[in-house]
Amino acid sequence: MGVILKPIDIVDDITKEEFFEKYLRPRRPVVIKNMARKWPAYQKWTMDYMKEVVGDVTVPLYDSSKADPAAPINAPTTEMKFADYIDLIQREPTDLRIFFFDPIKKANKLLEDYISPKELMGGFLDKYPSMFFGGKGSVTFLHYDIDLAHIFHTHFNGRKHILLFDYKWKERLYKLPYATYALEDFDISNPDFEKFPALDGVEGIECFLEHGDTLFMPTGWWHWMKYLDGSFSISLRAWDKSWAVKANSLWNLTVQRNFDNIMKARFKKKYMDWKERKAIERANYALKKGLPKR
């Protein structure tokens, strides 16, 4: 059976009413082709333009190696001058990525180049956009966003392959306790079902983004991303109206993350081994019980 992937819905344009009924209210992902074509960024955001406006600022870089048990989540692998990194991803494949780059702190000029899609929904955190850069072949591990925001993720200068999974599949995806990411010992795009049987039958959505495409990812959706070319994206975030979601977000960002970091620092590998065992136990139990119920 394998991982069951359906193609994502794709629209050129969409009205507020249609977006709400088909995607926001039921929390279903969709790709909007024309949204970013109205932005100055659609024409301006080349690799050379990014080098010009950001310059020689030093940025942290991440790879896809398994996390250090003692390190906080999202600890960088190394660092590099931004312009040198852009040259690198244009020149050759690399596993290195820029993760959660803040354009406000580093290049205010970029804020003039995009428009939050407020015609579709409210709640945007306009002062907190995030940018992501990756070399050809680099991978973002399977996770969901800790703040549980809705995300409009627009891609530039290349292609990106994305797999999406509803939050209800979290146990079958080997979610680690006190974390918003999965066990890092499998490749969700080509899993070993003998070692990770709970992945067999998991249902998801497959998506390919090209220059200017915008992916709407509702709150809580798991995502795995692979850069098919050296390229970059911007994520615009918006709060869900649900107070329960907001409370869960606050819990994740404060209590859960701090507890997890303290336990990693104190118990290191022993704690991570326990988390991995629990993820496997819970995945096997969910598989045995046929969870989640369709």
Side-chain angles (χ1 to χ4, degrees), residues 266-281:
R266 178 170 294 184
F267 298 106
K268 299 181 173 64
K269 187 175 184 300
K270 183 177 180 181
Y271 175 61
M272 287 304 296
D273 288 346
W274 172 82
K275 288 179 63 161
E276 292 183 0
R277 287 197 304 271
K278 292 302 293 184
I280 293 170
E281 289 174 9

Side-chain angles (χ1 to χ4, degrees), residues 160-177:
K160 182 181 274 188
H161 182 201
I162 303 175
L163 303 182
L164 299 157
F165 302 92
D166 193 300
Y167 183 75
K168 69 182 181 181
W169 292 98
K170 60 185 183 298
E171 283 87 6
R172 294 276 295 274
L173 292 172
Y174 294 85
K175 177 186 178 298
L176 293 171

